Amino acid sequence: MNTTGPGPFLEGKCLVAMPSLQDVHFNRSVVYVCAHSAEGAMGIVVNHPAPGVNLLDLLLQLKVIDSSAATRLPETVGGQRVLSGGPVDATRGFVLHSTDYRAPDATMEIDDSVSMTATLDVLRAMAQGEGPEKAVLALGYAGWSPGQLEKEILANSWMICPADSALLFDPEHETKYERALGVIGVDLRFLADEAGHA
């Protein structure tokens, strides 16, 4: 049992950055927690698109497809924006996806509706129209050492929010921060006012 932090482990939940969290990587971020234990935590920022990168460019760059195959890509795949998943291992790709896809020995089930795969298998399947129904690709991840996330939550750097399919997979990334706050009943205007008054 975890007695050092704010309750049970947070796998499958979202963290919503408080306005006071000024770290450039996490300002106004929504982070989906993929793993959390006494050894630390790992999550993916789900609302910060990587500047100038879309999935089609990445599939071509990684040679998952060639230029002749690019025109045959499912529309939902080609134009999908790639996310900046966090500052750790920022050149490595992580695909959060619905549980209707599984790569043997490579897919990690996070909860009943979300899995994560970090191999090219899932990108190949997506390019062929055989991938998961819902998916988002992020470069990099957020990582916390043992007890670090618990300390940050106790210091009011993060609020905890239930995760849902729209927060994770919806392409409207710019509105996810406000939507996540709304899910937990927080008005950003009130938070911004309060943040300036000690």
Side-chain angles (χ1 to χ4, degrees):
M1 185 171 155
N2 177 20
T3 56
T4 60
F9 295 124
L10 300 173
E11 273 168 27
K13 300 262 193 294
C14 282
L15 302 172
V16 185
M18 290 288 281
S20 57
L21 185 58
Q22 293 300 311
D23 183 308
V24 66
H25 300 291
F26 299 114
N27 188 28
R28 293 177 61 92
S29 66
V30 179
V31 181
Y32 180 72
V33 180
C34 302
H36 187 204
S37 70
E39 281 77 53
M42 178 265 186
I44 303 287
V45 178
V46 294
N47 68 321
H48 291 176
V53 184
N54 66 35
L55 190 50
L56 173 57
D57 297 334
L58 208 60
L59 292 174
L60 289 166
Q61 186 183 335
L62 295 170
K63 297 183 173 41
V64 171
I65 60 168
D66 59 26
S67 52
S68 65
T71 56
R72 298 190 301 273
L73 269 185
E75 191 178 324
T76 54
V77 173
Q80 192 178 111
R81 287 149 77 193
V82 174
L83 300 175
S84 290
V88 183
D89 219 351
T91 57
R92 186 169 174 211
F94 299 86
V95 179
L96 286 177
H97 56 84
S98 48
T99 54
D100 53 342
Y101 172 85
R102 180 166 186 78
D105 304 320
T107 297
M108 178 176 99
E109 208 170 281
I110 298 166
D111 64 23
D112 293 342
S113 58
V114 182
S115 293
M116 181 176 71
T117 304
T119 62
L120 289 178
D121 298 339
V122 67
L123 296 181
R124 287 189 192 101
M126 288 165 68
Q128 293 163 7
E130 298 168 0
E133 182 189 345
K134 297 175 182 172
V136 65
L137 171 66
L139 295 176
Y141 67 93
W144 290 268
S145 57
Q148 182 184 0
L149 178 56
E150 290 83 351
K151 285 179 186 148
E152 290 181 13
I153 291 169
L154 289 171
N156 292 322
S157 294
W158 300 100
M159 287 179 286
I160 300 163
C161 164
D164 66 30
S165 186
L167 271 183
L168 299 184
F169 303 119
D170 187 326
E172 299 296 322
H173 304 298
E174 291 76 11
T175 64
K176 287 183 181 181
Y177 183 68
E178 287 79 5
R179 284 190 282 152
L181 289 173
V183 167
I184 50 178
V186 175
D187 186 323
L188 182 59
R189 293 167 302 176
F190 177 75
L191 264 187
D193 288 346
E194 287 301 301
H197 300 84

